Amino acid sequence: MELNVSASENINGTLVLPLYEGSESVPESCEVGMPTSLKSQINRVLSDGDFKAKKKSTMTLLGGEDGKAILVGLGKSDECTIHDFRKAGAAITAGIKKSHGSELTVRFDGASVAKMGAFAEGMMLRDYSYDNYKQKDDEDEKIEVAVRITCSEKESEELSKLVADYKGICKGVHLSRDLGNCPPNDMYPEVFADMAWEWAKDFDNIDVTIINYDQAVKAGMGGLVAVGMGSARKPCMVIFEMNKHVEGRCPLLVGKGITFDTGGISLKPGANMDEMKYDMGGSATVFGTMEALAQTGHEGKVVAITCMAENMPSSNAQRPGDVITTLSGKTIEVLNTDAEGRLVLSDGLWKAGEFDPEYIIDFATLTGACVVALGHEATGLWSNDDDFRTRIHEAGNEVGELAWPMPLLPAFEKEMTNSKIADTRNLGAGRWGGANTAAAFLKQFVPNRGYEKDGEQITWAHMDIAGTYWGSKTNTMVKDGATGVHVRTIHHLITKS
Ligand code: BES
Ligand code: ZN
Ligand code: ZN
């Protein structure tokens, strides 16, 4: 899809007309240049009550003498938010067929620039399919659609700028989705690292450093090494630095990147195990966010750390009962090798302290318990700073990606330090509150400023995306597969809040 903004009054190709509930005829402001028979066709449908303009509903009018139209519903005008515009845009893309032709012209009835932009964003976000692995016959060739969003002369500069930003952000979301959807035989730690390396070559303000297996062993990254050593595809850490010469503290993102999670020796049951290819969703979110920032020309400094490993059972794999020493020096009794995300993150979080960041946010498909708590509707959100947690929650609300506040309680932390032989344990005492005990575990590896023993802990948030990175049926920006969730939230947080 090629989407542009235009102040022209022409209708090229099929007209896309977003309408409020209760519209009985074509809004006056949309009539300019509309062929008479198309207008009367639409008026007939509306006055007969055949199209009620309910949220996300669409109706195609073909067969008229002078043009085609797609009507799309926005719901009631007094309740209609920017999110409804985004969803209406996505509904259009979801419904595009060959019969609509290769050109669309969208015409709004006096919507704000922000709402028109959101509509365009929805159209672009939903314009995604993952078909790299399908043989293509000519029949299936995707139709390339050119979309013109029309607006007034005085709005066009502002809207063009907004749409250009959304284009860049969409690239980030789609990159996150591509990484997540890629099958695990082709997406493993080294591949991810190579992709990051190649990607960075396109930008002179981005550096990528790869800490390979041997270097990780040498550095003492006992968590990353323990999780990855059972696989022939060795683990690594990938560090992205954007605008590293900019002075001062910056945001730092950390991602869980388990390219396949079998559970290791604590093997998972077979049903739906294929879905564990998405267990690198945290790292995909981080990489996608860097792409979104790069594409929109972000000038601030941002650092990202992705912890990549494949969790396999083998004769080289770690065992339940092993005690490992992490980068922080803290030891962990590994009671379940399937609780591996927290092990790789323990090193990623600790490493983050080296960059003296303003704050750290980690993203992880960390626990099934989080899916039990919040379903596929919201990401679990924990933080050691209430105001920061609220800022992230609000950034999510702004872009329509819910992140729900969850508690960090001392009792959960206590539960995770209660090992007989090590400093910490990677498993709670029981299964209750499993998402909270996991978060409390991570907190122990968030460094104090300057790694001072009695210093202040760096501001940190943890986002458990186990329920939202894939499998959401209500996410209207996505048909299936990886969602690319929170690239937009974090882009918003970093650039606008
Ligand atoms: N990757 C899984 C979490 C997961 C499970 C995400 C299902 C999405 C859907 C994680 O590594 C894991 O296996 N966690 C265990 C932790 C337990 C052993 C304490 C879990 O949630 O069961
Ligand atoms: Zn696991
Ligand atoms: Zn996992």
Side-chain angles (χ1 to χ4, degrees):
M1 175 179 294
E2 185 55 47
L3 191 144
N4 287 300
V5 171
S6 155
S8 134
E9 288 179 346
N10 295 342
I11 297 173
N12 297 350
T14 299
L15 169 70
V16 173
L17 193 61
L19 293 165
Y20 294 113
E21 239 177 278
S23 306
E24 289 181 352
S25 60
V26 173
E28 226 178 284
S29 67
C30 299
E31 285 181 349
V32 210
M34 193 180 291
T36 329
S37 84
L38 182 63
K39 190 172 111 188
S40 54
Q41 208 188 352
I42 300 173
N43 281 343
R44 167 71 66 84
V45 167
L46 294 177
S47 61
D48 286 356
D50 290 335
F51 183 70
K52 302 223 165 12
K54 298 261 184 228
K55 284 180 188 177
K56 296 182 280 174
S57 62
T58 60
M59 180 185 270
T60 295
L61 304 177
L62 303 170
E65 282 162 26
D66 49 12
K68 303 173 181 179
I70 313 175
L71 313 181
V72 56
L74 296 166
K76 297 196 172 76
S77 66
D78 51 347
E79 291 172 3
C80 184
T81 65
I82 190 163
H83 305 300
D84 297 314
F85 272 78
R86 192 185 301 110
K87 287 176 188 170
I92 288 292
T93 303
I96 290 179
K97 300 205 171 53
K98 263 198 183 137
S99 54
H100 294 124
S102 59
E103 272 185 281
L104 300 179
T105 299
V106 187
R107 185 169 281 183
F108 296 97
D109 173 24
S112 65
V113 168
K115 284 180 171 166
M116 292 191 278
F119 189 95
E121 184 192 22
M123 283 194 82
M124 293 189 287
L125 280 172
R126 186 61 180 72
D127 182 35
Y128 176 89
S129 59
Y130 190 75
D131 45 21
N132 298 1
Y133 287 84
K134 287 197 185 223
Q135 291 194 65
K136 300 188 180 55
D137 19 23
D138 295 343
E139 281 283 296
D140 306 336
E141 271 314 308
K142 261 196 4 202
I143 5 157
E144 262 310 307
V145 188
V147 181
R148 283 187 331 131
I149 304 273
T150 59
C151 64
S152 70
E153 200 77 63
K154 65 176 195 317
E155 292 162 329
S156 85
E157 197 183 324
E158 196 186 343
L159 184 56
S160 298
K161 168 84 187 68
L162 192 57
V163 166
D165 270 353
Y166 283 142
K167 265 186 204 169
I169 296 167
C170 263
K171 281 196 177 159
V173 176
H174 290 168
L175 172 61
S176 168
R177 297 187 65 189
D178 278 345
L179 294 164
N181 287 329
C182 187
N185 53 334
D186 284 342
M187 173 54 63
Y188 47 93
E190 197 185 335
V191 170
F192 185 97
D194 285 349
M195 282 182 68
W197 179 263
E198 287 299 320
W199 169 81
K201 285 186 186 163
D202 287 345
F203 305 96
D204 52 18
N205 62 336
I206 298 174
D207 295 293
V208 162
T209 312
I210 299 165
I211 300 177
N212 67 23
Y213 183 60
D214 293 338
Q215 292 164 328
V217 171
K218 236 190 192 150
M221 296 181 172
L224 184 76
V225 167
V227 173
M229 69 188 183
S231 172
R233 289 151 168 184
K234 290 294 178 256
C236 62
M237 188 178 273
V238 185
I239 302 178
F240 303 68
E241 291 172 89
M242 172 179 286
N243 301 318
K244 71 191 277 189
H245 302 296
V246 173
E247 295 286 323
R249 289 178 177 159
C250 73
L252 193 149
L253 314 175
V254 179
K256 167 178 171 181
I258 304 300
T259 58
F260 196 75
D261 182 11
T262 63
I265 297 295
S266 314
L267 194 64
K268 283 184 181 297
N272 303 325
M273 204 205 271
D274 58 289
E275 294 186 354
M276 284 299 121
K277 72 169 185 175
Y278 297 116
D279 211 23
M280 34 62 73
S283 289
T285 307
V286 165
F287 193 169
T289 304
M290 295 307 268
E291 165 79 337
L293 290 166
Q295 290 293 342
T296 53
H298 183 61
E299 289 175 352
K301 178 161 74 173
V302 181
V303 177
I305 298 177
T306 54
C307 311
M308 310 306 300
E310 185 179 50
N311 190 20
M312 284 292 202
S314 81
S315 66
N316 299 320
Q318 66 170 333
R319 294 147 291 254
D322 282 2
V323 173
I324 59 176
T325 304
T326 60
L327 189 62
S328 68
K330 272 201 177 110
T331 57
I332 304 173
E333 186 180 11
V334 179
L335 293 171
N336 187 319
T337 64
D338 196 13
E340 84 298 337
R342 58 196 78 181
L343 302 181
V344 301
L345 288 172
S346 70
D347 288 336
L349 290 167
W350 193 258
K351 180 78 182 167
E354 280 182 21
F355 298 88
D356 189 30
E358 177 192 350
Y359 57 74
I360 303 170
I361 310 177
D362 76 73
F363 304 86
T365 49
L366 201 65
T367 63
C370 189
V371 195
V372 173
L374 298 171
H376 297 289
E377 299 311 317
T379 293
L381 171 63
W382 291 257
S383 177
N384 59 359
D385 177 324
D386 290 348
D387 293 337
F388 186 53
R389 193 186 54 225
T390 302
R391 251 181 85 194
I392 297 176
H393 173 66
E394 285 173 354
N397 289 348
E398 291 282 328
V399 304
E401 297 180 325
L402 296 192
W404 215 257
M406 299 283 278
L408 264 185
L409 305 179
F412 292 130
E413 213 169 322
K414 192 148 175 258
E415 198 174 322
M416 301 306 286
T417 46
N418 184 22
S419 161
K420 300 237 167 7
I421 62 168
D423 300 328
T424 64
R425 46 189 279 164
N426 79 333
L427 196 64
R431 63 191 193 91
W432 306 120
N436 297 314
T437 46
F441 176 89
L442 294 181
K443 181 171 181 288
Q444 306 173 87
F445 295 90
V446 177
N448 294 342
R449 284 227 170 270
Y451 295 114
E452 297 272 345
K453 196 163 173 296
D454 298 313
E456 183 200 1
Q457 191 171 44
I458 298 173
T459 303
W460 156 77
H462 159 56
M463 299 182 78
D464 192 334
I465 54 175
T468 48
Y469 189 70
W470 80 97
S472 167
K473 300 257 182 319
T474 52
N475 185 336
T476 45
M477 299 304 129
V478 171
K479 182 166 175 233
D480 47 30
T483 60
V485 73
H486 296 315
V487 167
R488 294 164 52 239
T489 306
I490 305 306
H491 185 276
H492 188 89
L493 178 84
I494 293 177
T495 62
K496 303 218 169 58
S497 88

